[in-house]
Amino acid sequence: ADAQWPHFLYADMRAAPRAIASAVEAVSALELDLLTLAPRHELGSFAERLMLPCGLYLLGFYQNLERIQAPDSDEVVATGQFMLLRRAPYEAVGGHAPVCGAICEDVELALLMKRRGHRVLLMDGNLLLSTRMYTGWSTLWPGFAKNLVQLLGGPLRTLLAAPVIVALAWTAVWLPLFDLAAVSHGVGGAPAALALAALGSAAVVGLHVGGAVHFRIPWWYGLLFPLGYTAGAVMALDSVRWRFTGRVHWKGRVYTS
């Protein structure tokens, strides 16, 4: 193709009629060289509804997008689900050829372009794009395990983050119960501790219930977040295992890492 705007779209994406036009307008107005758009996620199975909101929350809190997306940062955040590029910068870095063997080739391409001085940006495409990435555990687990190590900053950071994430999630459950038991035993200061713990837990629960409403799934999925983060931590450890074996299997292909 010899178009001015090379455009890549995953096969499971559904785009609104003006999606591409809106993206071209954004690239022109912001003087970007690569624009990626994050879609709205449609969640059908129990596994998707349990894991996707927790995964997206984790990335939202784990990554400082303002810092990462700054032009002078040597990091990048991107998704290959929707990518629109200027042709000249894309060809200048060799297109997809330098990253064709990478497990996360979309992120590697964006990183390559940014480090060559081109402007890269991830934006919200919620109103223009929707997707259902997985259909259950059989597709979700390998999809998460393939990418989690890179998304969490490498094997060491993944191994450190996994138990911390699980501990924080379950703390929202057991800490108010612990303080309630202390109140029942007349421990001094326990009522104040219970009030603070209850407020903190209510905020965490409210955040996840609000997320369930946002994703248009039953609200009570928001109460299951400790299970979601626990399963995610196991997937993260499995992701590290995949990388240490040096061979990642994905949709019939084998990648060396």
Side-chain angles (χ1 to χ4, degrees):
D2 58 1
Q4 180 184 357
W5 305 97
H7 172 230
F8 301 93
L9 185 74
Y10 279 12
D12 59 7
M13 298 286 289
R14 291 194 297 276
R18 278 192 52 79
I20 296 178
S22 298
V24 171
E25 291 172 3
V27 168
S28 300
L30 299 174
E31 299 182 344
L32 303 176
D33 297 302
L34 168 59
L35 171 67
T36 68
L37 296 179
R40 181 179 73 255
H41 292 274
E42 297 180 355
L43 312 178
S45 68
F46 174 80
E48 297 165 78
R49 293 175 175 186
L50 179 69
M51 298 304 303
L52 262 296
C54 291
L56 293 172
Y57 270 133
L58 173 61
L59 291 179
F61 284 109
Y62 196 81
Q63 298 176 326
N64 184 336
L65 291 183
E66 182 178 3
R67 176 182 58 80
I68 292 174
Q69 300 221 90
D72 58 349
S73 168
D74 63 353
E75 298 178 272
V76 75
V77 58
T79 173
Q81 294 168 304
F82 183 106
M83 305 182 79
L84 181 71
L85 308 97
R86 291 183 186 273
R87 185 174 189 83
Y90 175 64
E91 291 184 340
V93 301
H96 273 77
V99 300
C100 65
I103 297 171
C104 299
E105 85 294 334
D106 48 1
V107 176
E108 293 298 331
L109 175 61
L111 187 62
L112 176 62
M113 292 189 66
K114 188 172 184 179
R115 289 179 174 175
R116 296 282 182 88
H118 304 300
R119 189 167 182 203
V120 177
L121 188 66
L122 169 73
M123 297 182 70
D124 179 19
N126 180 68
L127 298 178
L128 298 171
L129 304 163
S130 65
T131 184
R132 184 178 180 189
M133 295 174 61
Y134 307 111
T135 56
W137 290 112
S138 63
T139 55
L140 186 148
W141 191 289
F144 270 47
K146 173 174 67 75
N147 295 330
L148 272 175
V149 164
Q150 184 157 347
L151 293 176
L152 294 178
L156 178 59
R157 292 182 66 176
T158 301
L159 291 173
L160 294 174
V164 172
I165 292 165
V166 173
L168 290 174
W170 284 102
T171 295
V173 177
W174 66 258
L175 186 58
L177 297 177
F178 178 84
D179 289 337
L180 182 61
V183 170
S184 68
H185 286 85
V187 176
L194 175 59
L196 291 174
L199 285 173
S201 294
V204 173
V205 171
L207 177 69
H208 288 86
V209 169
V213 173
H214 170 77
F215 285 108
R216 303 173 186 175
I217 60 177
W219 65 270
W220 51 265
Y221 274 96
L223 304 179
L224 304 180
F225 67 90
L227 298 177
Y229 289 113
T230 302
V234 177
M235 290 181 185
L237 297 178
D238 198 28
S239 183
V240 173
R241 181 184 67 83
W242 280 28
R243 294 303 174 94
F244 280 139
T245 65
R247 296 173 67 83
V248 175
H249 296 262
W250 177 245
K251 292 188 175 181
R253 299 182 296 273
V254 179
Y255 296 86
T256 57
S257 58

